[in-house]
Amino acid sequence: MNKRIRLLADGAAKFSAVMALPTGESGDDLFVEKFAELIIRECVDIAQHHVMNISTYADAECVSNQIKEHFG
C-alpha cells in the first residue's frame, strides 16, 4: 500500500472509530464508506488541479463531475 493510500485508510479508521460509538453502526461499514469517499475526493482533486494533460479547466471540471456522478 502506498503512503497516500495508507494516510487515507488511517483517516477513515479514525473517523469510523469515533462515529461508530454514538450511532451504533458497524465500524467496518463506516470505514469502508469513508475510505471510498476519501479516495474519490482525491480523484476529483487530481482532475481539477493536477492533471497537466487536460487542455482547459472546463475539461478538468467535466472529468471531476463524471467521477462524482459515477460514484454518487
Side-chain angles (χ1 to χ4, degrees), residues 19-65:
M19 296 305 292
L21 295 175
T23 64
E25 289 185 67
S26 164
D28 291 343
D29 291 343
L30 289 170
F31 169 81
V32 170
E33 185 176 330
K34 188 64 173 183
F35 188 47
E37 178 186 327
L38 293 173
I39 290 171
I40 293 163
R41 284 185 186 181
E42 291 279 311
C43 293
V44 168
D45 185 55
I46 289 168
Q48 289 179 333
H49 302 290
H50 301 294
V51 177
M52 297 302 202
N53 293 331
I54 292 180
S55 60
T56 67
Y57 181 79
D59 292 337
E61 190 70 20
C62 178
V63 171
S64 66
N65 286 340

Side-chain angles (χ1 to χ4, degrees), residues 3-15 31 35 38:
K3 184 178 180 179
R4 188 67 196 140
I5 296 293
R6 191 175 311 273
L7 288 171
L8 294 174
D10 288 346
K14 289 174 186 169
F15 173 83
F31 169 81
F35 188 47
L38 293 173

